[in-house]
Amino acid sequence: MSELYHVTFSYNPNEVNKISEIQVGDFLNFEEAIQSIEIQTQLRFEKVDNQNYVILKSTKKNIRLICGKVVDENYSAIAGVLVKTSLQHTVTNLEGFFYLEITDQPSLIDLSAYGFKTKSISTSFFKSPCKQILLEQEIVSLDEVIIRNYLAKGLTKNEDGSINVKMQQTGVLPGIIEPDAIQTLQFIPGLQSPDETVTGLHIRGSTPDQNLILYDGVKMYQDAHFFGLLSVFNPYMIDNIKLFRSATKSKYGGHAGGVISIGVDESIPKKMSIGIGATLTHVNSDIKIPLLYDKLAIFASARRGTTDFINTITTEKYAEVAFQNTNILDTSNDLGDEVLNLNFDFLYEDYYTKLIFKPYESLQFNFGFLKNQNNLLFEGTNPFFKSNTDDKLRVESETLYESVSYQSQFFGSHNLQLSFTSFNKKYSGLNDFDIASQQPTLLEITFDKENEVKETSVQYNGEKKLFKNGIIQFGYQRNRSEVSYIADSYGLDLRTFQEFFKGKETSQSFFSDFKFRGEKLQLNLGGRRQYFNRLNDVFWEPRAFLNYKLLPKLWMKISYEEKHQSISQITDLRNDGLGNLFNQLWVVSTDESIPVIKNQQLVVGFDFQRKGWTVDVETYIKKLEGIGILLTDNIFSPRNVSGTNRIKGIDILLKKKWRNYGTWFSYSFADNKYQFEEINNNRPFQGSFDIKHSLVWTHTLTFKNINFAIGYRHRTGIPYTQKNLDTNNPQSNFIVFEKYNGERLPDYHRVDLTADYNFYLDKAKKIKTRIGFALQNITNERNVLSRDFRVLESNNENNISQLLLERVDRYSIGFTPNFIIRCNL
């Protein structure tokens, strides 16, 4: 060292010669080398002048000097970091170094700095010279939780109005055997599923196709298995769900309703984890593998229905609901003739994989792939028509995406995502009659239908802190969408017709939000500029949200937003033998018959939480323009008509928690009205899914590792239109309408129960196990979910063909048990 640094050391050989192995390492300067030697030897270096030092033996017993250098994710030195123990503290210098004298007794050292996550390190860590310590940047979010355990454990309500669900922390909910992404949300006030499906989720009156559902940032066009009864998203891959009923951020566009953003874990696990499980409807597995410590990991999951090789009581009940009023369950005609040579096969499955690469703390790459599919086959021989039937229905979607994220204290956070998603729903229905022996009758119609969506998207999101209480968010999005549907029909006196539609659209959007949070005030102001090239038009979408703390636990909120949607669904009302399995078609807006949907929404409300009590009240007014319906008064020339939908309502939540017991009561009122120029003489009428009153009352109880949840639902029945038979009008399928939605179904009632038990399967407590059961509709209440009418053809007592008008009711699921067993390693 004397020759390297050109200095002279004076010392007592008896004290220094005893020390042999010293590792100095590659240090930048002389001071660091001196500190390293002092730490290893407990010697002190006293400076005489710039060229002379005296080496002395430390006089303090059980005291040693430690050294460290603090850096950020870019390995740049951080000055001014507070380094403290229980007895003393210091700060890092301009080069990021700090020095502390500590005892030999193990203790903790805390390092903290503004904009970084606090880090605690044991003193035993400092055994080698001047250890380098990495502090992770803390991306400061101005959204704070104002209601914890909003409904149950794992659900919170944030200051920005959103509701967050931590899927792996969520407590049990009535009737839900697994933490299903969409079913969990249906307990939140303002969210309804009139047909009991996950695909039928209405958020404050907006129809399901108006909801924006994102999976790891990518828009989804398929969200259900078993034709609506189960979510397609494997719950054990989901980290969190963020729901916006209102106050939507400007980065969410292309929709007119609510937002459901489903997030997958982005952290690299420390060790491999495996999960396997089974219910009475499917089996599933998932795995998370760290391939390179803190740098590389892969996630994978698979779920497959058991419907094709085992028939449980649960799958039977699900099938009764999913396939009611279809050719599949209607296996006999009015004369009692059974369908012969019956063959029925149904399967659903989903697969997901994600690769995470994190070369630096500030830089991360994600690659993901998701595939879902449902396949149905039904074959048989109809003795009445003397024909063979062959129904095939396939629903599948694929999503491929990649993203790169960068975070920096100075430059902010940035994310760029590229994605491709496809959705295809195809039905082939064959009625193979023998023309030589029997001419096709009025109602013998064969359908081939297909609906397809392909979408490529690129989106950039940025965030930068402007000052202590202010953040700006900004971004750009470009979507290239191709939407098509085709419908072929053969029958009706050998007449044929075909519908074909194919539309391409490119949309571009710029958006920005400014977030300010003070001691009592949170303010979000933003906007979105949306351009649709198919219409060659620009739409502006202002977004505003204010949250003000009136009292320490009482908040007042108000929000206003405008949204536009160019890809939506229309309803196909024709009788194709599939009931409602294929009555929703994705279409893209046109200048003529399918306008862009516009939504304006104003919300005012209050939040309160104190001493176990939670109160959440929100009132809202919505106006949607461009609502579409496919009119089939002439089945050879069906046409789309558009109108408006006005909704006003109030959502109330009241919750109380006492130690291990909790209960909540939610109530929603809504007035939902349609108005179309070509329907009902342009007079307003009740919306098809108008639910005036809805309430949920739930109880939860925890006893050690056992959890119970029981809930009661009640709501008013939805409206329906009475129809009559008109045998002189074949082009309208022999049906005439009375007053639109002039009648209403009976009220809806249901009681559900769920219980589970969590324990370790082994003594080493490495195999965490959960067993549980769910009982849906304990009282076996057969609620009528919808009512329609269809025309049937049959022979009378004189063997003369005649037409009959049949009322078609769709019933809720009856008493249905389910069971789960799951192990995590």
Side-chain angles (χ1 to χ4, degrees):
M1 281 188 64
S2 296
E3 295 178 359
L4 180 62
Y5 295 104
H6 307 290
V7 295
T8 301
F9 296 96
S10 300
Y11 55 89
N12 182 348
N14 294 329
E15 295 178 350
V16 176
N17 290 342
K18 298 177 182 179
I19 302 172
S20 56
E21 297 181 1
I22 300 176
Q23 297 179 356
V24 177
D26 299 327
F27 289 91
L28 298 178
N29 54 51
F30 174 72
E31 182 183 16
E32 295 172 354
I34 293 297
Q35 295 288 347
S36 175
I37 296 173
E38 288 182 335
I39 292 171
Q40 297 177 71
T41 64
Q42 299 304 305
L43 297 174
R44 291 189 297 116
F45 286 70
E46 294 287 343
K47 182 178 179 181
V48 178
D49 54 41
N50 291 335
Q51 282 76 39
N52 294 279
Y53 280 78
V54 177
I55 303 177
L56 302 173
K57 185 178 180 180
S58 177
T59 58
K60 300 179 181 179
K61 294 183 178 182
N62 301 322
I63 297 295
R64 62 188 179 98
L65 187 67
I66 63 172
C67 166
K69 182 179 181 181
V70 184
V71 297
D72 61 17
E73 61 267 18
N74 297 318
Y75 298 96
S76 300
I78 307 176
V81 177
L82 177 62
V83 184
K84 66 177 182 178
T85 66
S86 58
L87 299 176
Q88 57 181 323
H89 68 274
T90 185
V91 295
T92 57
N93 59 24
L94 294 178
E95 290 76 33
F97 287 96
F98 70 88
Y99 310 93
L100 274 178
E101 288 185 338
I102 63 170
T103 65
D104 289 335
Q105 297 298 322
S107 61
L108 290 177
I109 297 177
D110 295 326
L111 298 93
S112 59
Y114 183 77
F116 293 88
K117 296 180 181 178
T118 299
K119 194 167 191 175
S120 296
I121 302 176
S122 173
T123 54
S124 60
F125 174 80
F126 298 90
K127 291 183 178 179
S128 59
C130 264
K131 295 284 287 187
Q132 183 169 272
I133 303 166
L134 177 68
L135 285 190
E136 296 181 5
Q137 181 186 2
E138 184 177 38
I139 303 301
V140 180
S141 173
L142 297 186
D143 299 330
E144 291 192 356
V145 174
I146 59 174
I147 297 181
R148 299 186 184 277
N149 298 327
Y150 180 70
L151 293 179
K153 179 183 176 182
L155 281 77
T156 57
K157 187 172 185 181
N158 302 317
E159 278 187 340
D160 64 358
S162 65
I163 296 174
N164 195 67
V165 182
K166 297 293 289 184
M167 285 294 284
Q168 305 312 315
Q169 301 176 13
T170 304
V172 294
L173 294 170
I176 301 180
I177 193 68
E178 290 184 301
D180 187 281
I182 308 300
Q183 289 180 348
T184 299
L185 299 178
Q186 294 180 14
F187 286 90
I188 297 173
L191 277 68
Q192 303 280 355
S193 180
D195 60 0
E196 294 188 335
T197 67
V198 297
T199 54
L201 187 64
H202 294 245
I203 301 180
R204 288 182 170 166
S206 296
T207 54
D209 63 302
Q210 295 167 11
N211 300 328
L212 175 62
I213 300 179
L214 302 172
Y215 188 80
D216 223 9
V218 183
K219 184 177 180 179
M220 295 287 107
Y221 286 92
Q222 180 189 2
D223 58 359
H225 284 314
F226 223 129
F227 301 101
L229 296 179
L230 298 169
S231 169
V232 298
F233 311 114
N234 192 318
Y236 304 106
M237 281 287 103
I238 299 174
D239 178 60
N240 66 86
I241 304 172
K242 199 165 190 178
L243 167 71
F244 286 92
R245 296 174 296 179
S246 58
T248 312
K249 301 294 181 63
S250 63
K251 71 177 181 178
Y252 301 114
H255 71 289
V259 175
I260 301 172
S261 180
I262 302 172
V264 179
D265 191 2
E266 294 192 348
S267 60
I268 296 178
K270 300 297 182 183
K271 62 179 182 179
M272 182 175 69
S273 63
I274 301 174
I276 55 174
T279 70
L280 295 183
T281 58
H282 59 258
V283 294
N284 63 66
S285 63
D286 56 88
I287 187 170
K288 296 182 179 181
I289 307 174
L291 301 176
L292 185 62
Y293 181 75
D294 283 345
K295 300 293 183 183
L296 185 66
I298 187 169
F299 300 167
S301 69
R303 183 169 49 164
R304 188 187 190 279
T306 58
T307 51
D308 59 332
F309 63 87
I310 186 172
N311 192 22
T312 67
I313 184 174
T314 308
T315 55
E316 284 183 355
K317 294 292 186 177
Y318 280 16
E320 288 178 6
V321 172
F323 305 130
Q324 62 181 305
N325 304 324
T326 67
N327 293 337
I328 297 167
L329 290 187
D330 293 343
T331 54
S332 64
N333 58 35
D334 290 342
L335 299 179
D337 297 323
E338 295 291 333
V339 173
L340 307 176
N341 305 317
L342 183 62
N343 179 25
F344 172 67
D345 191 19
F346 171 63
L347 170 66
Y348 67 89
E349 54 191 357
D350 59 70
Y351 308 95
Y352 175 69
T353 184
K354 180 176 181 177
L355 182 69
I356 303 174
F357 177 49
K358 195 172 184 179
Y360 306 103
E361 287 294 325
S362 59
L363 185 64
Q364 180 166 317
F365 297 88
N366 296 326
F367 306 89
F369 175 74
L370 174 67
K371 181 178 177 64
N372 307 294
Q373 63 182 20
N374 288 249
N375 294 318
L376 182 148
L377 171 65
F378 175 76
E379 297 175 320
T381 302
N382 190 316
F384 177 74
F385 287 126
K386 299 178 182 179
S387 62
N388 296 324
T389 61
D390 186 355
D391 294 298
K392 297 178 181 178
L393 180 59
R394 181 180 179 88
V395 186
E396 62 179 350
S397 66
E398 292 184 356
T399 299
L400 179 66
Y401 66 93
E402 59 183 32
S403 67
V404 56
S405 301
Y406 174 77
Q407 297 180 347
S408 167
Q409 182 182 14
F410 180 77
F411 294 105
S413 64
H414 306 269
N415 177 269
L416 178 66
Q417 183 173 71
L418 307 175
S419 64
F420 171 78
T421 185
S422 66
F423 165 82
N424 183 270
K425 192 171 187 177
K426 186 175 183 179
Y427 166 66
S428 176
L430 174 63
N431 192 6
D432 187 17
F433 47 80
D434 184 357
I435 298 178
S437 62
Q438 178 181 348
Q439 289 292 316
T441 54
L442 291 174
L443 298 176
E444 281 188 81
I445 298 178
T446 297
F447 275 98
D448 284 326
K449 298 200 295 187
E450 183 174 8
N451 191 202
E452 186 173 30
V453 180
K454 294 181 178 179
E455 187 169 277
T456 303
S457 175
V458 56
Q459 180 164 340
Y460 162 74
N461 293 286
E463 180 176 303
K464 181 70 173 69
K465 185 175 182 179
L466 298 179
F467 49 89
K468 181 178 179 180
N469 295 328
I471 285 180
I472 187 170
Q473 297 174 327
F474 47 88
Y476 168 79
Q477 184 176 6
R478 185 182 190 273
N479 289 348
R480 174 66 173 171
S481 306
E482 184 176 313
V483 185
S484 64
Y485 80 85
I486 183 171
D488 285 299
S489 177
Y490 177 75
L492 201 58
D493 298 329
L494 297 180
R495 297 175 63 181
T496 65
F497 69 91
Q498 181 186 79
E499 289 178 70
F500 178 78
F501 174 84
K502 185 174 183 179
K504 296 181 179 180
E505 179 185 82
T506 299
S507 65
Q508 297 188 72
S509 305
F510 294 92
F511 52 87
S512 180
D513 275 311
F514 171 72
K515 301 164 58 177
F516 172 82
R517 183 179 185 278
E519 183 178 350
K520 293 186 176 182
L521 173 69
Q522 165 139 346
L523 178 66
N524 291 2
L525 295 175
R528 185 181 181 95
R529 181 190 183 273
Q530 187 91 29
Y531 171 75
F532 300 119
N533 79 320
R534 181 177 177 85
L535 305 174
N536 193 26
D537 203 354
V538 173
F539 300 88
W540 293 92
E541 300 180 352
R543 313 277 178 93
F545 173 74
L546 182 146
N547 206 358
Y548 185 74
K549 185 184 290 187
L550 298 173
L551 297 171
K553 298 297 182 179
L554 178 64
W555 295 78
M556 182 191 72
K557 56 202 170 185
I558 182 170
S559 69
Y560 175 79
E561 58 191 358
E562 292 187 14
K563 304 175 184 178
H564 297 85
Q565 180 173 339
S566 64
I567 298 177
S568 58
Q569 287 182 333
I570 59 173
T571 302
D572 186 352
L573 301 176
R574 289 165 297 187
N575 179 22
D576 54 9
L578 287 180
N580 66 343
L581 296 186
F582 203 160
N583 63 351
Q584 300 293 321
L585 301 171
W586 287 105
V587 295
V588 63
S589 296
T590 64
D591 287 324
E592 302 83 20
S593 57
I594 308 177
V596 170
I597 299 175
K598 179 182 179 181
N599 176 22
Q600 297 171 285
Q601 183 175 212
L602 175 67
V603 179
V604 178
F606 296 89
D607 289 311
F608 174 80
Q609 188 173 49
R610 187 171 184 266
K611 294 183 178 180
W613 286 96
T614 298
V615 181
D616 178 19
V617 180
E618 291 190 6
T619 61
Y620 61 92
I621 300 175
K622 298 176 69 170
K623 179 184 179 183
L624 293 107
E625 302 175 9
I627 303 300
I629 292 180
L630 180 65
L631 278 187
T632 55
D633 49 358
N634 186 331
I635 61 175
F636 294 106
S637 58
R639 66 191 192 280
N640 294 298
V641 298
S642 62
T644 61
N645 183 200
R646 290 178 171 84
I647 310 162
K648 57 184 179 181
I650 181 171
D651 297 321
I652 300 173
L653 170 69
L654 179 63
K655 177 176 174 286
K656 174 61 176 174
K657 176 72 173 177
W658 293 275
R659 294 187 178 181
N660 297 331
Y661 168 73
T663 182
W664 79 78
F665 176 89
S666 67
Y667 169 76
S668 295
F669 166 82
D671 183 37
N672 189 327
K673 291 186 177 179
Y674 286 161
Q675 187 171 3
F676 295 82
E677 282 190 21
E678 301 185 46
I679 299 177
N680 203 39
N681 296 319
N682 200 26
R683 295 193 303 269
F685 58 95
Q686 294 297 323
S688 298
F689 298 98
D690 176 59
I691 299 176
K692 290 292 185 187
H693 307 279
S694 173
L695 64 89
V696 178
W697 190 15
T698 300
H699 306 266
T700 61
L701 178 65
T702 300
F703 178 73
K704 294 185 178 179
N705 295 327
I706 304 176
N707 304 288
F708 296 94
I710 187 170
Y712 169 70
R713 293 178 182 268
H714 169 82
R715 63 172 182 253
T716 52
I718 64 173
Y720 71 94
T721 302
Q722 183 68 39
K723 300 176 183 179
N724 294 317
L725 181 68
D726 182 4
T727 57
N728 297 319
N729 194 354
Q731 290 190 341
S732 66
N733 211 26
F734 310 103
I735 290 178
V736 293
F737 288 53
E738 291 190 6
K739 182 180 179 181
Y740 281 88
N741 289 341
E743 306 292 334
R744 192 174 284 272
L745 296 174
D747 286 0
Y748 175 98
H749 305 269
R750 175 167 157 174
V751 179
D752 297 323
L753 171 69
T754 298
D756 72 1
Y757 174 56
N758 298 274
F759 61 98
Y760 287 98
L761 200 60
D762 60 330
K763 293 182 179 180
K765 294 187 176 182
K766 293 184 178 181
I767 306 177
K768 189 175 182 180
T769 306
R770 174 180 179 246
I771 59 173
F773 67 89
L775 303 178
Q776 295 179 295
N777 197 357
I778 296 176
T779 60
N780 198 32
E781 189 81 25
R782 297 311 304 270
N783 299 287
V784 181
L785 302 177
S786 65
R787 176 167 294 170
D788 204 348
F789 299 84
R790 66 183 178 187
V791 178
L792 299 178
E793 188 172 15
S794 178
N795 289 340
N796 61 18
E797 57 186 10
N798 298 320
N799 202 29
I800 299 175
S801 178
Q802 64 178 0
L803 299 179
L804 301 173
L805 183 67
E806 180 187 41
R807 191 182 78 184
V808 181
D809 286 344
R810 180 173 177 82
Y811 291 95
S812 67
I813 195 168
F815 171 70
T816 305
N818 205 344
F819 176 81
I820 186 173
I821 180 170
R822 177 170 172 83
C823 296
N824 289 287
L825 306 173

